[in-house]
Amino acid sequence: MLGLLGLIFSFIPIIGVIAWPLVILGIVFAALGIARLRSRKATNKGIAIAGLVLSVVGLVIAIVWAAAVTKAVDDVNRAVTVHYEVTGTAKGASVTYTTLGEGGASTSQEQPKTLPWSKDITAKGFGKGGTLTVTTGMNGGDVTCKVVVDGKEAKTATASGNFATASCDGF
């Protein structure tokens, strides 16, 4: 009975914590039942084996859930390096970048005298993303924005002309 209850509870997130003691006790009692069978003090072989199998399966499921939750928590708490980069021929470009992290969103704007321009930021928390927008000035030119997250290119956009905007977001 403990093995069956433990198996059922092991499928339910959060409440599945109840499964751990149930499946462990199910394994112990099933092992005791099998030991009693071998010493000919019991005759319930089918129930003992079923209890052991259900308890072991419930324990495996509980372990998989625990590993999945641990990985999810680690992914949320892991810091990532966000590299913003702007290249092009535009003079007087305006660069605006927003970074999301555990402290919320922070937005900054810079007017680099010349391109290329770059910035590295570390982000941590549930939402690890942001936006990078570059706008050419009235003299026009070409601009390309690129975002690299932990060494992997996440987004690239290009624009050209007077007051043209390249936007890298949704990464």
Side-chain angles (χ1 to χ4, degrees):
M1 185 65 150
L2 289 174
L4 179 60
L5 286 174
L7 178 63
I8 292 169
F9 281 120
S10 68
F11 284 104
I12 305 170
I14 300 171
I15 296 172
V17 172
I18 296 170
W20 286 92
L22 293 175
V23 294
I24 291 170
L25 286 173
I27 291 170
V28 169
F29 289 138
L32 288 173
I34 291 170
R36 288 181 53 113
L37 280 167
R38 288 192 177 146
S39 65
R40 305 217 189 275
K41 293 181 181 174
T43 59
N44 55 348
K45 181 178 180 181
I47 298 286
I49 292 173
L52 182 62
V53 169
L54 291 173
S55 295
V56 169
V57 170
L59 182 62
V60 168
I61 292 169
I63 289 170
V64 168
W65 267 112
V69 168
T70 300
K71 176 150 178 24
V73 168
D74 287 347
D75 285 348
V76 168
N77 291 327
R78 183 178 65 87
V80 296
T81 300
V82 180
H83 176 77
Y84 295 133
E85 184 178 318
V86 176
T87 57
T89 62
K91 304 283 188 231
S94 174
V95 178
T96 305
Y97 57 95
T98 302
T99 304
L100 305 174
E102 66 185 345
S106 68
T107 301
S108 299
Q109 186 172 20
E110 295 187 22
Q111 307 285 61
K113 297 204 185 292
T114 60
L115 297 178
W117 171 92
S118 67
K119 187 79 149 182
D120 288 322
I121 295 173
T122 301
K124 181 179 178 183
F126 184 69
K128 297 178 265 226
T131 62
L132 172 62
T133 305
V134 59
T135 304
T136 63
M138 67 180 178
N139 295 329
D142 298 325
V143 289
T144 299
C145 64
K146 179 165 81 168
V147 178
V148 178
V149 179
D150 278 347
K152 295 179 185 169
E153 188 173 314
K155 197 75 169 193
T156 301
T158 302
S160 62
N162 297 3
F163 301 106
T165 300
S167 182
C168 294
D169 58 7
F171 56 90

